Amino acid sequence: MEKFDLIIIGGGPAGYVGGIRAAQLGLSVALIEKYPHLGGTCLNVGCIPSKALLHSTELFHQLSHGEKHGILAESVKIDVAKLMERKTGVVDQLRKGVRMLVEKRKIAIHTGTGSLAGKGQVTVTPEKGDAYTIEGKDIVIATGSAPVELPFLKFDGKDIVSSTEALEFTEVPKRLVVVGGGAIGLELGCVWARLGSEVTVVEFLPTIAAGSDEDVSKLAERIFKKQGLKIDTATKVTGASKKDGAWVLEAEKKGKAVTYTADKILVAVGRKAHTGGLGLDKVGIQTDDRGRIPTDHFRTTAEHIWAIGDVITGPMLAHKAEEDGVAVAELIAGKPGHVDYNLVPNVIYTHPEIASVGLTEKMAADQKRDVKIGKFNLMANGRAIAQDATDGMVKVIADAKTDRLLGVAIIAAGASEMIANAVAHMTYGGSAEDLGRTVHAHPTISESLKEAALSISKSAIHGI
Ligand code: FAD
Ligand code: NAD
């Protein structure tokens, strides 16, 4: 039986990153992945293909709306097959890169489904061939997550789909209803709307992008509506049936029945931890009420078995999964390993992008914290005006007494890059004044973050 210091089940951002860090620290590592490609949800059917489509469709949108810049591109057309070919190329390139990195670290890749077989043992069942068992001093579960299905909207892989199929449509759906106005609903809703689909996003909560600060979510809703997306918030989808070749969704809005007609329905109501067939019962691990593996600093209730990424509590994000991977490898190697979940940024890659970190104004109020708020509107930012990107704002929340930064929320072109600046300041315990006194290059949209921080002490230069 092959023996390793560490066996990792799942080759997504949590698993492969954890494997690389463990190998850097001198451990022998086996990485078990059931699919032929490493990279998990994020690389194969998540972050990367969605960002490739968002980029291509934004380019299409810009080209088709270039008149005021003097760009008169007539009859700009979209070739969906080519668009998908490029997306696949991007994914392929990164798949090769990840495999190369893992192999260079001499990590043993086992292709097959991993299941716990008892103390220190994992059985690998390849798609073809016999199952075999390997041994590890420590085992990390990094099996990720899968889309949540609604009981009355079962995925059929064709008309009622999850994000995986919505990244693969071979033609632009005439009418697309998106159930759920979170990250997936907004990103993929925007992709298909930009290509001419009539997209309606139906969200159960009072705002879309519900994890963001309310000011930002409300502004996002106005901006996306202006872009042509139909958005119905505070609306609960309750049923669906097929009539005359089209789908009719039933929903309830403020006690009133509403219906939507759709050719395709994207159900994007969250993801759930993936633990099926892992054999958790063999080692006495019980999942929580949401199917996640309970952990304490990544340790499960079973000795020498750890869990990381989407399969445990915390934001279901690739960068969080990666940080979990690094921390668990360091802990297993006897070093300190830690992730501060309060400082994990959240980004929705629409145009403009929505990015946030730390507390929202409501969270601060719920915690009865005395805070000061600074805001800056992109209408007063030179770079935003120059590049026709004035739709947006920045909001900074700081402790009223100490001025320590507690939260930042941004809706702006390039917000995904800007938020790193806020995270860095917050990681080192920075204050709004620290951020406000940091020199930002001019002209950049990032200057609006500095100005929002300055506005806390009423010293914003370009704001009144
Ligand atoms: P996963 O990436 O799900 O990887 C788990 C791996 O384990 C999979 O490869 C699976 O095949 C394998 N596996 C499962 N069970 C077994 C088993 N028994 N044996 C062997 N292998 C097994 N996050 C961001 O931060 N930014 C984004 O822009 C972003 N965009 C997204 C877009 C979409 C459409 C989706 C669906 C998700 C997106 N996410 C994004 C979320 C991100 O993909 C996840 O948070 C991240 O992939 C979680 O990493 P993980 O390693 O924990 O799990
Ligand atoms: P989500 O939790 O972000 O949003 C789901 C939305 O669906 C919620 O707002 C919820 O209120 C709504 N909803 C639930 N039931 C409903 C119903 N019956 N009718 C109408 N609305 C309903 O989940 P998601 O968008 O599916 O994304 C899944 C996970 O993947 C998330 O954890 C997300 O963070 C991650 N992800 C991240 C990114 C990114 O970082 N850019 C992109 C895509 C996905």
Side-chain angles (χ1 to χ4, degrees):
M1 198 183 292
E2 262 196 289
K3 291 192 169 92
F4 297 90
D5 292 326
L6 174 61
I7 299 173
I8 300 176
I9 311 176
Y16 89 76
V17 170
I20 290 176
R21 185 69 189 122
Q24 285 173 344
L25 294 170
L27 304 185
S28 60
V29 183
L31 182 62
I32 307 174
E33 170 54 54
K34 69 178 171 187
Y35 290 123
H37 304 291
L38 298 178
T41 303
C42 178
L43 169 48
N44 296 291
V45 291
C47 328
I48 298 298
S50 58
K51 265 80 260 179
L53 292 183
L54 279 158
H55 179 75
S56 299
T57 55
E58 180 57 19
L59 209 58
F60 174 68
H61 178 83
Q62 298 283 355
L63 276 175
S64 336
H65 294 81
E67 298 85 358
K68 76 168 157 185
H69 302 270
I71 300 168
L72 306 172
E74 274 167 34
S75 44
V76 183
K77 288 198 193 84
I78 193 82
D79 177 343
V80 177
K82 190 93 188 141
L83 174 90
M84 293 297 168
E85 194 183 304
R86 178 187 174 272
K87 176 208 71 175
T88 307
V90 169
V91 171
D92 272 348
Q93 184 180 340
L94 282 160
R95 280 173 175 164
K96 285 186 192 124
V98 169
R99 182 165 288 266
M100 186 272 290
L101 288 172
V102 168
E103 284 175 351
K104 282 264 184 247
R105 295 279 172 197
K106 307 225 176 322
I107 294 169
I109 302 170
H110 290 260
T111 307
T113 302
S115 59
L116 300 161
K119 205 167 185 286
Q121 296 193 339
V122 180
T123 297
V124 183
T125 310
E127 207 171 280
K128 287 187 193 130
D130 295 338
Y132 56 94
T133 301
I134 55 176
E135 246 177 49
K137 286 186 206 146
D138 285 275
I139 297 166
V140 172
I141 301 169
T143 48
S145 62
V148 168
E149 196 170 46
L150 289 172
F152 48 85
L153 272 178
K154 296 262 186 218
F155 296 128
D156 65 8
K158 196 175 147 275
D159 291 346
I160 304 175
V161 300
S162 74
S163 51
T164 302
E165 295 79 21
L167 289 164
E168 297 273 321
F169 289 155
T170 49
E171 52 189 51
V172 180
K174 194 167 171 302
R175 293 159 299 186
L176 172 67
V177 171
V178 179
V179 185
I184 292 180
L186 293 173
E187 289 183 2
L188 293 183
C190 282
V191 161
W192 293 106
R194 287 171 192 168
L195 299 181
S197 183
E198 199 181 287
V199 177
T200 307
V201 176
V202 186
E203 168 56 53
F204 168 70
L205 294 173
T207 57
I208 54 165
S212 311
D213 194 276
E214 213 171 282
D215 281 344
V216 165
S217 318
K218 284 189 176 150
L219 180 56
E221 186 173 335
R222 284 204 299 277
I223 294 171
F224 298 149
K225 280 183 170 165
K226 209 165 72 180
Q227 291 175 2
L229 221 60
K230 289 188 186 149
I231 298 175
D232 263 352
T233 51
T235 307
K236 189 177 171 193
V237 175
T238 51
S241 55
K242 206 157 187 184
K243 275 190 200 115
D244 305 326
W247 285 94
V248 178
L249 269 101
E250 291 133 38
E252 213 181 282
K253 189 179 172 79
K254 292 183 186 147
K256 283 198 185 128
V258 276
T259 57
Y260 304 91
T261 310
D263 303 299
K264 300 258 186 215
I265 302 164
L266 164 59
V267 181
V269 296
R271 292 177 63 86
K272 57 176 191 296
H274 180 83
T275 56
L278 251 182
L280 292 180
D281 49 328
K282 288 215 178 80
V283 292
I285 296 176
Q286 280 174 354
T287 52
D288 69 10
D289 56 343
R290 291 176 56 189
R292 297 171 300 197
I293 298 179
T295 53
D296 176 9
H297 289 83
F298 314 111
R299 286 179 178 83
T300 69
T301 49
E303 229 185 324
H304 291 288
I305 302 185
W306 313 68
I308 54 174
D310 276 12
V311 81
I312 67 168
T313 189
M316 285 178 156
L317 295 171
H319 41 284
K320 177 265 187 188
E322 292 186 20
E323 296 300 333
D324 282 3
V326 169
V328 83
E330 292 178 343
L331 287 168
I332 291 169
K335 295 182 175 301
H338 175 69
V339 186
D340 186 348
Y341 287 169
N342 296 315
L343 294 180
V344 175
N346 201 326
V347 178
I348 301 180
Y349 295 79
T350 42
H351 184 75
E353 294 174 337
I354 303 168
S356 59
V357 63
L359 298 186
T360 63
E361 187 174 350
K362 178 162 189 317
M363 282 156 85
D366 290 346
Q367 292 178 14
K368 304 208 182 327
R369 276 176 182 264
D370 195 6
V371 295
K372 287 186 292 185
I373 310 264
K375 294 184 193 176
F376 194 79
N377 193 307
L378 261 59
M379 288 292 286
N381 176 277
R383 181 68 181 278
I385 293 171
Q387 64 185 56
D388 199 12
T390 51
D391 274 340
M393 66 170 289
V394 178
K395 182 166 173 178
V396 172
I397 299 169
D399 187 276
K401 212 186 272 167
T402 65
D403 197 38
R404 187 179 176 136
L405 286 167
L406 299 176
V408 172
I410 308 172
I411 176 163
S416 59
E417 307 289 346
M418 283 164 70
I419 200 70
N421 185 359
V423 178
H425 273 277
M426 289 170 70
T427 300
Y428 296 112
S431 64
E433 184 178 349
D434 291 329
L435 181 53
R437 286 188 184 273
T438 305
V439 183
H440 285 64
H442 176 76
T444 55
I445 296 180
S446 293
E447 286 171 289
S448 54
L449 176 58
K450 172 191 169 88
E451 294 270 18
L454 284 173
S455 80
I456 284 193
S457 51
K458 312 241 177 302
S459 36
I461 302 297
H462 299 92
I464 299 157

